[in-house]
Amino acid sequence: MFKKKPTASEVDGVQYRRAKLWQIICYACNALVGMSVYSLIGMASYSASIGYGITTAAVGIILTCTRILDGITDPLLAFVYDRVNTKFGKLRVLLIAGYLIEAVALYAMFTGFSSKGMGLVTFTLLYVVYVIGYTTTNMTAQTIPAIMTNDPRQRPTLGVWTTAFNYLVPMVMSMVLNVVLLPKCGGTYNQAFLTAACNITLIVAAIGTLLVCLGVSSFDKPENFVGTKKSEPLKMADVVEVLKHNKPLQCYIASNASDKLAQQVCSQAIIGTLLNGILIGNMGLATILTVISMIPSIFFAAFGAKYVGKHGSKKGIVSFTCISMVITAVLVVFFIVIDPKQIGVMGSPAMIIYVVLSLLQNGSNMCITTSNTSYMADAIDFELDRSGRYIPAVVSGTYSLVDKLITSFAAVIATGAVALLGYTTTMPQPTDPSTPAIFWMTMALKFGLPLIGWVITLIAMRECPLTKEEMVNVQKRIAEKKAAAQSEFYKEQLQ
C-alpha cells in the first residue's frame, strides 16, 4: 500500500494557499493577450515604414523612446493599482480597461490610420496610447501569480502553464501570419497583410482577457491585497525604497533584463526575416520547423517545474541558464560549418539537426521562464516579509521600469543593425540575397546577444539570498506577522 506523499504545508509547517487547476489555466490564457499582441507589435517597424512612410532610422528611435515611456508608466500604474477598489474587483477592472485601450490604439495604428497619408506624429501618438493600454494589462497580470498561490510546489506549476502558453501562442500566431496569411497577401509585408494580422490579434486578445478574468474572479477580493501592518497611501518614495533594499529584486532585474534585451531583439520581425527568409531561404518551412522544434520542448517546462519545486527558483534559473549557453554555442558552430540553405531543404540532415538543437534550446529556455515566473512571486513575498506591505504592483513595476529602460534599445539595435547592412530606407524581405555580412550580423543578434545576457544572469544570481530554504522561512514569518496583526485587530475591536 502506497503512502500518501506529504504536502508542502505539512513538510514546511506553513499553511499555504493554492489555486485550482482550471484557475491556473485560465490565468495562463493571459498569453492570448500578451503574446498575440507581442507578435503583432513586432511588426511595428513594417507598419511605420509601409503605412506612415517613416524611415528605418526614425522607426528605431521612435520605438526606443516609446519603450522608455513604457518603462516609466509601469511603476506609475502601481499608484492606480493601489487605489482601484470597486465592487467588480481590482484585477478584472484593470485587465479589461487595459485591453480596450491597447485594442483601440493597435486598430488605429495598423488599420484605421495606416496608409491614409498620416505621418510620424500620428504613428508616435498611437504607439504611446498602445503603451498605456499594454502597461495596464501587463503589469496587472504580473501581480496575479503571487496572489493565486504561495505554495512552493504549485508556483512552478503555474509557471509551466504560463510558459507553455507564452510559447504556443506566438508559435501559432507565427504559423497563421507567416505560413497562411503572408502568401495570400503576395508573400511580402504590405498593408493588406498588416490589416488582417491586426484583426486576428485583437480577436485572440479579447478571448484571452475574458478567460483571465474568469480565472482570477475568486481571488479578486480586498482581503487578498493587505499586508502585515497598517496600510498607508502609496508614495513615489516607496518605489525607490523597494529598489534600494529588495536584494532579490535587484538580482532579478540584472538577470532578466539582460536576457529580455536579447529576446526582444531576436523577436523583431526583421531579425526573423534575416534568419528564416534570407539565410535559410525558406520563410514558410523555417517557420514550420520552429513550431516542430517548439511543441515537444514544452514538456521540458514540466520537468523544470519539478526541479524548481524541489531546489527553488534561484537554483532553477542558474542551472538552466548554463544548459542554454552550451546549446546556443553548439548552434553557432553548426551554422558556421554548414550551408544554412540546407536547413530549408525538407528532410535534409541539416534540417533534422537544426530541429533537434532548436528543440533542446527551446526546452532549456522554457525551464528558465518557468523559474522566472516563480522567482517574481517569491520576490513579492520577500518584500511583504521585509517591509510588511503587500505591494505587488510596486515590486513588478519597479522591475519593469529598469527592465524596459534597458530593453528599450532592442528596436534601435535591430533597425540599426539592418541599417548597417544597407537597409536604410527599406526593410529586409525574404527574397533578398544572402551575404557574409548578413550571416555574421544574424549570428551576433540571434545567438551572441543571448549568450551575453546569460553570462550577466550567472553573475547576478551569485549575489541572490533567496534560496529555497530562505523562502520557507519567509513564508513562516509572513504567517506569524499576519496572525499577530489579526490578533491585534481583534483586541482593538474589544476595547
Side-chain angles (χ1 to χ4, degrees), residues 88 124 207 212 254 283 287 294 297 309 332 340 434 467:
F88 302 107
T124 304
I207 295 171
V212 176
M283 193 79 171
T287 302
M294 189 73 74
S297 60
V332 173
S434 177
T467 61

Side-chain angles (χ1 to χ4, degrees), residues 136-386:
T136 305
T137 299
N138 185 56
M139 290 303 304
T140 302
Q142 284 189 30
T143 68
I144 294 175
I147 296 170
M148 293 182 74
T149 177
N150 65 345
D151 188 317
R153 293 182 187 173
Q154 190 177 56
R155 273 186 174 168
T157 302
L158 192 147
V160 171
W161 286 97
T162 55
T163 300
F165 276 75
N166 282 339
Y167 278 88
L168 276 173
V169 171
M171 260 197 309
V172 174
M173 290 296 292
S174 180
M175 288 286 289
V176 171
L177 299 181
N178 292 321
V179 179
V180 179
L181 193 58
L182 188 60
K184 290 184 178 180
C185 297
T188 61
Y189 293 99
N190 51 43
Q191 185 56 55
F193 171 80
L194 294 174
T195 297
C198 178
N199 292 338
I200 292 171
T201 298
L202 296 185
I203 292 172
V204 171
I207 295 171
T209 300
L210 294 176
L211 288 173
V212 176
C213 289
L214 176 64
V216 303
S217 58
S218 64
F219 302 97
D220 200 5
K221 299 174 182 176
E223 58 266 28
N224 289 327
F225 299 93
V226 297
T228 60
K229 66 180 185 180
K230 189 175 180 181
S231 177
E232 297 177 359
L234 197 62
K235 303 182 294 293
M236 183 56 72
D238 295 322
V239 176
V240 177
E241 203 267 344
V242 167
L243 182 59
K244 185 177 179 180
H245 296 289
N246 191 316
K247 184 68 174 180
L249 180 62
Q250 295 171 2
C251 297
Y252 186 72
I253 288 172
S255 165
N256 210 37
S258 57
D259 292 351
K260 192 76 72 65
L261 175 61
Q263 180 187 13
Q264 291 275 352
V265 173
C266 294
S267 69
Q268 297 293 312
I270 51 179
I271 305 304
T273 301
L274 291 178
L275 178 67
N276 299 326
I278 298 178
L279 292 190
I280 296 177
N282 192 331
M283 193 79 171
L285 178 60
T287 302
I288 293 172
L289 293 180
T290 300
V291 173
I292 291 173
S293 65
M294 189 73 74
I295 293 176
S297 60
I298 291 175
F299 294 103
F300 283 72
F303 167 77
K306 285 192 174 183
Y307 185 90
V308 173
K310 183 176 181 180
H311 300 284
S313 306
K314 173 188 172 179
K315 182 70 173 177
I317 292 173
V318 171
S319 298
F320 294 115
T321 292
C322 291
I323 294 172
S324 289
M325 291 177 71
V326 172
I327 298 170
T328 300
V330 172
L331 266 168
V332 173
V333 174
F334 173 69
F335 267 89
I336 292 174
V337 300
I338 62 130
D339 176 9
K341 296 288 185 186
Q342 292 299 310
I343 298 174
V345 179
M346 178 63 75
S348 67
M351 187 206 81
I352 295 172
I353 295 173
Y354 176 71
V355 170
V356 172
L357 288 175
S358 297
L359 186 154
L360 294 174
Q361 183 191 47
N362 293 333
S364 182
N365 289 349
M366 285 182 183
C367 291
I368 295 175
T369 305
T370 299
S371 304
N372 283 335
T373 301
S374 176
Y375 187 100
M376 176 52 80
D378 289 348
I380 290 172
D381 285 346
F382 178 89
E383 181 61 29
L384 172 58
D385 175 44
R386 187 192 71 83

Side-chain angles (χ1 to χ4, degrees), residues 81-127:
Y81 187 99
D82 190 53
R83 288 165 173 76
V84 172
N85 292 290
T86 73
K87 64 179 181 179
F88 302 107
K90 178 196 296 282
L91 303 173
R92 289 166 292 179
V93 169
L94 290 171
L95 288 170
I96 293 173
Y99 166 76
L100 292 176
I101 294 171
E102 67 179 344
V104 170
L106 289 172
Y107 181 82
M109 185 193 308
F110 283 87
T111 303
F113 293 154
S114 187
S115 297
K116 301 287 173 56
M118 303 294 182
L120 184 148
V121 174
T122 300
F123 178 83
T124 304
L125 289 175
L126 291 175
Y127 205 100

Side-chain angles (χ1 to χ4, degrees), residues 388-443:
R389 303 187 66 182
Y390 190 68
I391 44 178
V394 172
V395 177
S396 57
T398 303
Y399 154 71
S400 291
L401 168 61
V402 182
D403 167 69
K404 289 176 181 176
L405 288 176
I406 296 172
T407 59
S408 62
F409 294 98
V412 77
I413 290 173
T415 54
V418 298
L420 289 175
L421 294 172
Y423 295 98
T424 54
T425 57
T426 60
M427 291 292 179
Q429 293 290 350
T431 53
D432 293 346
S434 177
T435 65
I438 288 177
F439 174 84
W440 289 110
M441 184 65 78
T442 305
M443 292 298 101

